Amino acid sequence: MHHHPGSHDPVLVALSVLIAALSSYTALDLATRMRAASGTVSLGWLVAAAVAMGGGIWSMHFVAMLAFTLPGVDVSYDPLLTLLSLALPILVAAAAFLIVSQRSSTLIASGIGMGLAISGMHYTGMSAMRMAASINYDTAWVVASIAIAIGASIVALRLAFHMTSVRERISAGIVMGLAISGMHYAAMQGSSFVLTERVLGRAASGTVGQAPLAFLIAGTTIVVLMIGLVAAVYDRASAERAGREAEALRRSEERFRLLVEGVADHAIFMLDPEGRVANWNLGANRLIGYGEEIVGAHYAILHTDEDRDAGVPDALLRDAKRDGKSAGEGWRVRKDGSRFWAEATIRAVRNERSETIGFAKIVRDVTERRLSQEALERTRDALAISQKMETVGQLTGGVAHDFNNILAVILGSLELAKKRLQPEDPRIHRLLDNAIHGALRGASLTQRMLAFARKQDLKPVIVDVPELVRGMSALLKFDPAIRVETRFPIELAKVKVDANQLELAVLNLAVNARDAMAAGGGTISIAAREEQASDGLAAGRYVALSVSDTGCGMDTETLQHAQEPFFTTKGVGKGTGLGLSMVKGLAEQSGGALRLKSKIGEGTTAEIWLPASQDEQVPSRAAAEPSASAPRRIRPLSVLVVDDDLLVLDSVAAMLDDFGHAVIEARSGEEAVQLLRRTPKIDIVVTDYAMPGMNGLQLAEAVAAEHPGTPVVLCTGYAELLGSAQPHLPRISKPFDQAALAAVIDQVMRAQTDAHAVVTLRPKRA
């Protein structure tokens, strides 16, 4: 005895694959009719789909078995086992389709059962073979064939109960046909045959012939499947025709229902051939206001004077008479003279000789829709401008932040260079002072940029309004034809307000004043006075800071909306509509108000009312003048400096080294943590906030965990990001000079030695 692999007839193999694909497509197509039907009809289509799937798979299997030959060995089939292999997939497929149609959650379980039945069908068919050989099976190939059968079954059940197009069903049929065929031939690949005369002798009786049977079964299967497809196509066409008829009837009924139900909201009336009103319905009376007295009047009475002068009513009648219908939108006039935006349709009414015997006219009030569309368009334009301005603000804030780093390096280096120069040459000292002043002016500019971008930690301070306005003189230089005047009393109370935001507010008002004046120029006046509370303000004294212009002014309606967000009169692309709303918000948050006065042709005055402050002392601005180098008042320290910008890192280290401190440098938060673990003693950590990877706040938490009690100073030019930081964590804003750095370190170290104010940062707990 020896093993023999056998061979397959390629024609019959191709025929078996075709049958598998055709049966898969037919089953999916019949399943679509099952979903479209209901009751017993749906059950009938379900059974048909199951027969197509199970019977088609069996037919593929049997044709494929008939394609198999062993050279020199006759192969025949046991009729009972062959019929059993046919009944098994059909019954299980029908059961699986029925169960999944009722409970979709059983898809996987039903697919597994159906796949096992298909595999059982295959191996039952193998047992039906009668030949002079015994069959051995490779376990791996058996498992693979079962897995393929289960996968194909799950996919078939899922597709059967989901909407699919013809293209999807064809593609699925081809793929599933290949999968089912693959299952069979995978199982055959794992089969081997051992020739034996004993088996041949036992198979001599009760068998069926091989070659003719393959073509008979294939032909019968294809005919049955085609009958099923034809039945599905006919049913689908009938259903679609019935659906179209039902939809047409539904639309007709819906149109009639809308006409009847909506007659009270529409003006529906008839016109004679000359355009005179022939009848008048209730909806027309409610919408337009006329009663039966309008009958006999020409319908042009409903049009505006402009339309009548332009001949629009007659033109609409001519268009309707020529084309059968004219439609459009426009202003119409009610009996009381008020206007509304109307959607109007005129349809010609003809007799059997196609002669126009009158017109049917329908008018509907769509004013709200028009107003909504206009409001939507204004909002869309305002949103586009706002998004653009937000992008500009983000870019400005980022540039200002990076510029602060550059200024920090320049300012620190200039101060150190000035200290190391010999005093014999005063010109060099003057040049260095000029450079330091220039760096400080750049710092002031970045502060304004950050304030514009809303990325600055701004706080209210005591402000001398005249001094603040005079400090803005460089920003208030416009076209030479526009003159800017300031008028302030000798004695004026101070106010407590965010100085940077107040500068921005005055600048916004001045720009608005400039834009309101014609090309010939004019005058912008900035003034202030003291007033007592009025118009809902809390009792007390107020400073009214006003910006006036000699421009075109605003009418009453525009003035009422001027402070609303996104409202602008400058046109698309020329204004965001946020300037006055920002000024109003600043004034109200500061305890005051914004008041506007304007008349057409007389200009506009905007007044910012701010509460007068009881504290008359005005703090000096940190960046106004360069500070002198402060003498060191603390012992030499071991300082860890962390910054990802090497220039800033080197500059800060040089300033600290000039004070005699021992400086350790780290280029990232991670490197700083490693240095903390290797260094026995660190007195203080000076770190940048915005660093890739571990930022300054995360480093402060790591320092608190590694070395509790070690103070951390944050250096940043992006103070908005510190809003969530602990309020006691010391920080210094970039750019800073050597004296400011020494002052914050001195303050931190003194606080550390104070038993009642220890500067520590405890690590967060979950």
Side-chain angles (χ1 to χ4, degrees), residues 214-250:
F215 291 99
L216 177 62
I217 291 175
T220 303
T221 301
I222 292 174
V223 169
V224 172
L225 292 177
M226 293 304 297
I227 292 174
L229 287 176
V230 170
V233 170
Y234 178 80
D235 184 76
R236 184 178 291 106
S238 299
E240 290 176 352
R241 182 170 59 255
R244 287 193 300 269
E245 293 173 354
E247 180 63 16
L249 179 60
R250 188 193 66 80

mmCIF file of all heavy atoms in Angstrom, residues 214-250:
data_model
loop_
_atom_site.group_PDB
_atom_site.id
_atom_site.type_symbol
_atom_site.label_atom_id
_atom_site.label_comp_id
_atom_site.label_asym_id
_atom_site.label_seq_id
_atom_site.Cartn_x
_atom_site.Cartn_y
_atom_site.Cartn_z
ATOM 1 N N ALA A 214 -21.658 15.035 -12.817
ATOM 2 C CA ALA A 214 -21.126 16.372 -12.524
ATOM 3 C C ALA A 214 -21.828 17.436 -13.358
ATOM 4 O O ALA A 214 -22.276 18.467 -12.828
ATOM 5 C CB ALA A 214 -19.622 16.404 -12.781
ATOM 6 N N PHE A 215 -21.942 17.190 -14.660
ATOM 7 C CA PHE A 215 -22.571 18.191 -15.520
ATOM 8 C C PHE A 215 -24.077 18.271 -15.273
ATOM 9 O O PHE A 215 -24.678 19.352 -15.362
ATOM 10 C CB PHE A 215 -22.304 17.864 -16.984
ATOM 11 C CG PHE A 215 -20.867 18.057 -17.370
ATOM 12 C CD1 PHE A 215 -19.995 16.973 -17.437
ATOM 13 C CD2 PHE A 215 -20.373 19.321 -17.645
ATOM 14 C CE1 PHE A 215 -18.672 17.152 -17.785
ATOM 15 C CE2 PHE A 215 -19.051 19.493 -18.007
ATOM 16 C CZ PHE A 215 -18.198 18.414 -18.068
ATOM 17 N N LEU A 216 -24.699 17.141 -14.924
ATOM 18 C CA LEU A 216 -26.122 17.164 -14.615
ATOM 19 C C LEU A 216 -26.400 18.017 -13.379
ATOM 20 O O LEU A 216 -27.308 18.858 -13.367
ATOM 21 C CB LEU A 216 -26.636 15.736 -14.414
ATOM 22 C CG LEU A 216 -28.118 15.610 -14.004
ATOM 23 C CD1 LEU A 216 -29.014 16.176 -15.090
ATOM 24 C CD2 LEU A 216 -28.460 14.138 -13.719
ATOM 25 N N ILE A 217 -25.614 17.794 -12.336
ATOM 26 C CA ILE A 217 -25.809 18.559 -11.092
ATOM 27 C C ILE A 217 -25.515 20.038 -11.325
ATOM 28 O O ILE A 217 -26.259 20.922 -10.873
ATOM 29 C CB ILE A 217 -24.924 17.986 -9.982
ATOM 30 C CG1 ILE A 217 -25.444 16.606 -9.571
ATOM 31 C CG2 ILE A 217 -24.884 18.930 -8.771
ATOM 32 C CD1 ILE A 217 -24.573 15.902 -8.566
ATOM 33 N N ALA A 218 -24.426 20.344 -12.034
ATOM 34 C CA ALA A 218 -24.070 21.742 -12.288
ATOM 35 C C ALA A 218 -25.163 22.436 -13.092
ATOM 36 O O ALA A 218 -25.580 23.560 -12.772
ATOM 37 C CB ALA A 218 -22.738 21.818 -13.028
ATOM 38 N N GLY A 219 -25.648 21.747 -14.144
ATOM 39 C CA GLY A 219 -26.692 22.369 -14.954
ATOM 40 C C GLY A 219 -27.966 22.596 -14.166
ATOM 41 O O GLY A 219 -28.602 23.656 -14.266
ATOM 42 N N THR A 220 -28.344 21.567 -13.396
ATOM 43 C CA THR A 220 -29.564 21.705 -12.585
ATOM 44 C C THR A 220 -29.430 22.855 -11.588
ATOM 45 O O THR A 220 -30.358 23.655 -11.392
ATOM 46 C CB THR A 220 -29.852 20.395 -11.842
ATOM 47 O OG1 THR A 220 -29.968 19.322 -12.786
ATOM 48 C CG2 THR A 220 -31.134 20.504 -11.029
ATOM 49 N N THR A 221 -28.269 22.932 -10.932
ATOM 50 C CA THR A 221 -28.053 23.994 -9.936
ATOM 51 C C THR A 221 -28.132 25.368 -10.579
ATOM 52 O O THR A 221 -28.768 26.297 -10.045
ATOM 53 C CB THR A 221 -26.683 23.810 -9.260
ATOM 54 O OG1 THR A 221 -26.643 22.534 -8.637
ATOM 55 C CG2 THR A 221 -26.452 24.908 -8.223
ATOM 56 N N ILE A 222 -27.480 25.517 -11.727
ATOM 57 C CA ILE A 222 -27.481 26.826 -12.383
ATOM 58 C C ILE A 222 -28.892 27.219 -12.805
ATOM 59 O O ILE A 222 -29.311 28.380 -12.660
ATOM 60 C CB ILE A 222 -26.520 26.806 -13.593
ATOM 61 C CG1 ILE A 222 -25.072 26.687 -13.099
ATOM 62 C CG2 ILE A 222 -26.685 28.070 -14.436
ATOM 63 C CD1 ILE A 222 -24.056 26.518 -14.209
ATOM 64 N N VAL A 223 -29.670 26.251 -13.316
ATOM 65 C CA VAL A 223 -31.046 26.548 -13.719
ATOM 66 C C VAL A 223 -31.868 26.999 -12.512
ATOM 67 O O VAL A 223 -32.616 27.987 -12.572
ATOM 68 C CB VAL A 223 -31.681 25.314 -14.392
ATOM 69 C CG1 VAL A 223 -33.193 25.509 -14.585
ATOM 70 C CG2 VAL A 223 -31.026 25.048 -15.734
ATOM 71 N N VAL A 224 -31.719 26.267 -11.400
ATOM 72 C CA VAL A 224 -32.487 26.626 -10.197
ATOM 73 C C VAL A 224 -32.091 28.014 -9.704
ATOM 74 O O VAL A 224 -32.940 28.836 -9.331
ATOM 75 C CB VAL A 224 -32.270 25.571 -9.104
ATOM 76 C CG1 VAL A 224 -32.893 26.036 -7.776
ATOM 77 C CG2 VAL A 224 -32.880 24.239 -9.521
ATOM 78 N N LEU A 225 -30.786 28.291 -9.705
ATOM 79 C CA LEU A 225 -30.329 29.598 -9.243
ATOM 80 C C LEU A 225 -30.829 30.713 -10.159
ATOM 81 O O LEU A 225 -31.213 31.795 -9.691
ATOM 82 C CB LEU A 225 -28.802 29.630 -9.162
ATOM 83 C CG LEU A 225 -28.174 28.734 -8.085
ATOM 84 C CD1 LEU A 225 -26.653 28.808 -8.157
ATOM 85 C CD2 LEU A 225 -28.654 29.130 -6.692
ATOM 86 N N MET A 226 -30.818 30.462 -11.471
ATOM 87 C CA MET A 226 -31.297 31.481 -12.402
ATOM 88 C C MET A 226 -32.786 31.740 -12.205
ATOM 89 O O MET A 226 -33.260 32.879 -12.300
ATOM 90 C CB MET A 226 -31.025 31.052 -13.847
ATOM 91 C CG MET A 226 -29.538 31.001 -14.196
ATOM 92 S SD MET A 226 -28.695 32.572 -13.892
ATOM 93 C CE MET A 226 -29.553 33.638 -15.038
ATOM 94 N N ILE A 227 -33.547 30.657 -11.922
ATOM 95 C CA ILE A 227 -34.980 30.849 -11.644
ATOM 96 C C ILE A 227 -35.151 31.729 -10.410
ATOM 97 O O ILE A 227 -36.000 32.629 -10.370
ATOM 98 C CB ILE A 227 -35.669 29.479 -11.459
ATOM 99 C CG1 ILE A 227 -35.692 28.710 -12.790
ATOM 100 C CG2 ILE A 227 -37.087 29.655 -10.920
ATOM 101 C CD1 ILE A 227 -36.219 27.296 -12.672
ATOM 102 N N GLY A 228 -34.337 31.468 -9.394
ATOM 103 C CA GLY A 228 -34.406 32.303 -8.191
ATOM 104 C C GLY A 228 -34.070 33.749 -8.484
ATOM 105 O O GLY A 228 -34.727 34.671 -7.980
ATOM 106 N N LEU A 229 -33.021 33.985 -9.293
ATOM 107 C CA LEU A 229 -32.644 35.355 -9.639
ATOM 108 C C LEU A 229 -33.745 36.055 -10.424
ATOM 109 O O LEU A 229 -34.047 37.240 -10.188
ATOM 110 C CB LEU A 229 -31.342 35.355 -10.446
ATOM 111 C CG LEU A 229 -30.060 35.058 -9.664
ATOM 112 C CD1 LEU A 229 -28.869 34.992 -10.608
ATOM 113 C CD2 LEU A 229 -29.831 36.142 -8.612
ATOM 114 N N VAL A 230 -34.348 35.319 -11.384
ATOM 115 C CA VAL A 230 -35.431 35.918 -12.171
ATOM 116 C C VAL A 230 -36.596 36.284 -11.263
ATOM 117 O O VAL A 230 -37.202 37.360 -11.394
ATOM 118 C CB VAL A 230 -35.874 34.952 -13.286
ATOM 119 C CG1 VAL A 230 -37.148 35.452 -13.959
ATOM 120 C CG2 VAL A 230 -34.765 34.804 -14.321
ATOM 121 N N ALA A 231 -36.914 35.386 -10.329
ATOM 122 C CA ALA A 231 -38.013 35.686 -9.400
ATOM 123 C C ALA A 231 -37.691 36.911 -8.558
ATOM 124 O O ALA A 231 -38.554 37.768 -8.317
ATOM 125 C CB ALA A 231 -38.269 34.468 -8.502
ATOM 126 N N ALA A 232 -36.431 37.034 -8.101
ATOM 127 C CA ALA A 232 -36.044 38.194 -7.293
ATOM 128 C C ALA A 232 -36.108 39.475 -8.110
ATOM 129 O O ALA A 232 -36.570 40.518 -7.621
ATOM 130 C CB ALA A 232 -34.635 37.996 -6.734
ATOM 131 N N VAL A 233 -35.643 39.433 -9.367
ATOM 132 C CA VAL A 233 -35.684 40.622 -10.221
ATOM 133 C C VAL A 233 -37.124 41.049 -10.470
ATOM 134 O O VAL A 233 -37.463 42.246 -10.399
ATOM 135 C CB VAL A 233 -34.953 40.349 -11.551
ATOM 136 C CG1 VAL A 233 -35.201 41.481 -12.535
ATOM 137 C CG2 VAL A 233 -33.464 40.177 -11.301
ATOM 138 N N TYR A 234 -37.969 40.079 -10.757
ATOM 139 C CA TYR A 234 -39.383 40.411 -11.000
ATOM 140 C C TYR A 234 -40.023 41.004 -9.742
ATOM 141 O O TYR A 234 -40.760 41.991 -9.806
ATOM 142 C CB TYR A 234 -40.139 39.150 -11.437
ATOM 143 C CG TYR A 234 -41.611 39.385 -11.652
ATOM 144 C CD1 TYR A 234 -42.082 39.973 -12.827
ATOM 145 C CD2 TYR A 234 -42.545 39.035 -10.675
ATOM 146 C CE1 TYR A 234 -43.442 40.213 -13.018
ATOM 147 C CE2 TYR A 234 -43.902 39.266 -10.850
ATOM 148 C CZ TYR A 234 -44.339 39.847 -12.027
ATOM 149 O OH TYR A 234 -45.672 40.076 -12.214
ATOM 150 N N ASP A 235 -39.746 40.409 -8.594
ATOM 151 C CA ASP A 235 -40.317 40.928 -7.346
ATOM 152 C C ASP A 235 -39.800 42.325 -7.044
ATOM 153 O O ASP A 235 -40.549 43.202 -6.601
ATOM 154 C CB ASP A 235 -39.969 39.979 -6.200
ATOM 155 C CG ASP A 235 -40.605 40.415 -4.893
ATOM 156 O OD1 ASP A 235 -41.818 40.223 -4.716
ATOM 157 O OD2 ASP A 235 -39.878 40.965 -4.037
ATOM 158 N N ARG A 236 -38.513 42.527 -7.306
ATOM 159 C CA ARG A 236 -37.943 43.850 -7.041
ATOM 160 C C ARG A 236 -38.575 44.898 -7.965
ATOM 161 O O ARG A 236 -38.895 46.009 -7.533
ATOM 162 C CB ARG A 236 -36.430 43.818 -7.239
ATOM 163 C CG ARG A 236 -35.726 45.139 -6.895
ATOM 164 C CD ARG A 236 -34.228 45.038 -7.061
ATOM 165 N NE ARG A 236 -33.647 44.167 -6.056
ATOM 166 C CZ ARG A 236 -33.184 42.936 -6.289
ATOM 167 N NH1 ARG A 236 -33.256 42.419 -7.510
ATOM 168 N NH2 ARG A 236 -32.674 42.210 -5.322
ATOM 169 N N ALA A 237 -38.718 44.549 -9.248
ATOM 170 C CA ALA A 237 -39.329 45.498 -10.189
ATOM 171 C C ALA A 237 -40.768 45.805 -9.783
ATOM 172 O O ALA A 237 -41.210 46.959 -9.834
ATOM 173 C CB ALA A 237 -39.279 44.925 -11.605
ATOM 174 N N SER A 238 -41.501 44.765 -9.357
ATOM 175 C CA SER A 238 -42.886 44.996 -8.928
ATOM 176 C C SER A 238 -42.931 45.889 -7.696
ATOM 177 O O SER A 238 -43.764 46.795 -7.594
ATOM 178 C CB SER A 238 -43.564 43.651 -8.627
ATOM 179 O OG SER A 238 -43.589 42.830 -9.787
ATOM 180 N N ALA A 239 -42.021 45.623 -6.755
ATOM 181 C CA ALA A 239 -41.993 46.436 -5.534
ATOM 182 C C ALA A 239 -41.631 47.878 -5.845
ATOM 183 O O ALA A 239 -42.202 48.825 -5.276
ATOM 184 C CB ALA A 239 -41.007 45.837 -4.533
ATOM 185 N N GLU A 240 -40.650 48.082 -6.739
ATOM 186 C CA GLU A 240 -40.257 49.447 -7.087
ATOM 187 C C GLU A 240 -41.398 50.178 -7.806
ATOM 188 O O GLU A 240 -41.626 51.372 -7.561
ATOM 189 C CB GLU A 240 -39.002 49.420 -7.965
ATOM 190 C CG GLU A 240 -37.755 48.988 -7.205
ATOM 191 C CD GLU A 240 -36.546 48.880 -8.117
ATOM 192 O OE1 GLU A 240 -36.721 49.001 -9.357
ATOM 193 O OE2 GLU A 240 -35.442 48.668 -7.607
ATOM 194 N N ARG A 241 -42.114 49.465 -8.693
ATOM 195 C CA ARG A 241 -43.232 50.086 -9.389
ATOM 196 C C ARG A 241 -44.334 50.456 -8.397
ATOM 197 O O ARG A 241 -44.897 51.558 -8.445
ATOM 198 C CB ARG A 241 -43.770 49.134 -10.462
ATOM 199 C CG ARG A 241 -44.915 49.733 -11.280
ATOM 200 C CD ARG A 241 -45.256 48.855 -12.475
ATOM 201 N NE ARG A 241 -45.642 47.509 -12.082
ATOM 202 C CZ ARG A 241 -44.881 46.427 -12.216
ATOM 203 N NH1 ARG A 241 -43.672 46.534 -12.754
ATOM 204 N NH2 ARG A 241 -45.304 45.229 -11.824
ATOM 205 N N ALA A 242 -44.610 49.561 -7.472
ATOM 206 C CA ALA A 242 -45.617 49.868 -6.450
ATOM 207 C C ALA A 242 -45.153 51.012 -5.556
ATOM 208 O O ALA A 242 -45.949 51.868 -5.153
ATOM 209 C CB ALA A 242 -45.902 48.619 -5.608
ATOM 210 N N GLY A 243 -43.846 51.041 -5.257
ATOM 211 C CA GLY A 243 -43.319 52.124 -4.429
ATOM 212 C C GLY A 243 -43.424 53.469 -5.119
ATOM 213 O O GLY A 243 -43.746 54.476 -4.473
ATOM 214 N N ARG A 244 -43.129 53.475 -6.436
ATOM 215 C CA ARG A 244 -43.241 54.734 -7.175
ATOM 216 C C ARG A 244 -44.680 55.223 -7.206
ATOM 217 O O ARG A 244 -44.959 56.420 -7.062
ATOM 218 C CB ARG A 244 -42.695 54.560 -8.595
ATOM 219 C CG ARG A 244 -41.169 54.467 -8.658
ATOM 220 C CD ARG A 244 -40.687 54.615 -10.092
ATOM 221 N NE ARG A 244 -41.224 53.567 -10.963
ATOM 222 C CZ ARG A 244 -40.626 52.412 -11.206
ATOM 223 N NH1 ARG A 244 -39.468 52.143 -10.612
ATOM 224 N NH2 ARG A 244 -41.172 51.520 -12.032
ATOM 225 N N GLU A 245 -45.595 54.293 -7.424
ATOM 226 C CA GLU A 245 -47.001 54.684 -7.441
ATOM 227 C C GLU A 245 -47.443 55.201 -6.077
ATOM 228 O O GLU A 245 -48.165 56.209 -5.982
ATOM 229 C CB GLU A 245 -47.858 53.495 -7.859
ATOM 230 C CG GLU A 245 -47.634 53.069 -9.312
ATOM 231 C CD GLU A 245 -48.359 51.786 -9.662
ATOM 232 O OE1 GLU A 245 -48.943 51.175 -8.731
ATOM 233 O OE2 GLU A 245 -48.360 51.397 -10.834
ATOM 234 N N ALA A 246 -46.987 54.519 -5.016
ATOM 235 C CA ALA A 246 -47.343 54.974 -3.672
ATOM 236 C C ALA A 246 -46.725 56.330 -3.365
ATOM 237 O O ALA A 246 -47.355 57.187 -2.737
ATOM 238 C CB ALA A 246 -46.895 53.941 -2.636
ATOM 239 N N GLU A 247 -45.487 56.527 -3.812
ATOM 240 C CA GLU A 247 -44.820 57.803 -3.570
ATOM 241 C C GLU A 247 -45.508 58.936 -4.328
ATOM 242 O O GLU A 247 -45.676 60.040 -3.797
ATOM 243 C CB GLU A 247 -43.347 57.714 -3.986
ATOM 244 C CG GLU A 247 -42.536 58.983 -3.790
ATOM 245 C CD GLU A 247 -42.431 59.384 -2.344
ATOM 246 O OE1 GLU A 247 -42.705 58.546 -1.460
ATOM 247 O OE2 GLU A 247 -42.082 60.553 -2.080
ATOM 248 N N ALA A 248 -45.910 58.643 -5.577
ATOM 249 C CA ALA A 248 -46.623 59.666 -6.349
ATOM 250 C C ALA A 248 -47.944 60.019 -5.681
ATOM 251 O O ALA A 248 -48.320 61.196 -5.588
ATOM 252 C CB ALA A 248 -46.861 59.166 -7.773
ATOM 253 N N LEU A 249 -48.647 58.986 -5.207
ATOM 254 C CA LEU A 249 -49.902 59.252 -4.512
ATOM 255 C C LEU A 249 -49.655 60.042 -3.230
ATOM 256 O O LEU A 249 -50.400 60.969 -2.903
ATOM 257 C CB LEU A 249 -50.603 57.926 -4.203
ATOM 258 C CG LEU A 249 -51.931 58.023 -3.444
ATOM 259 C CD1 LEU A 249 -52.946 58.835 -4.244
ATOM 260 C CD2 LEU A 249 -52.472 56.622 -3.139
ATOM 261 N N ARG A 250 -48.617 59.651 -2.504
ATOM 262 C CA ARG A 250 -48.306 60.358 -1.265
ATOM 263 C C ARG A 250 -47.968 61.820 -1.531
ATOM 264 O O ARG A 250 -48.410 62.714 -0.801
ATOM 265 C CB ARG A 250 -47.129 59.681 -0.564
ATOM 266 C CG ARG A 250 -46.852 60.225 0.825
ATOM 267 C CD ARG A 250 -45.520 59.759 1.329
ATOM 268 N NE ARG A 250 -44.424 60.319 0.530
ATOM 269 C CZ ARG A 250 -43.960 61.544 0.696
ATOM 270 N NH1 ARG A 250 -44.494 62.348 1.597
ATOM 271 N NH2 ARG A 250 -42.966 61.984 -0.057
#
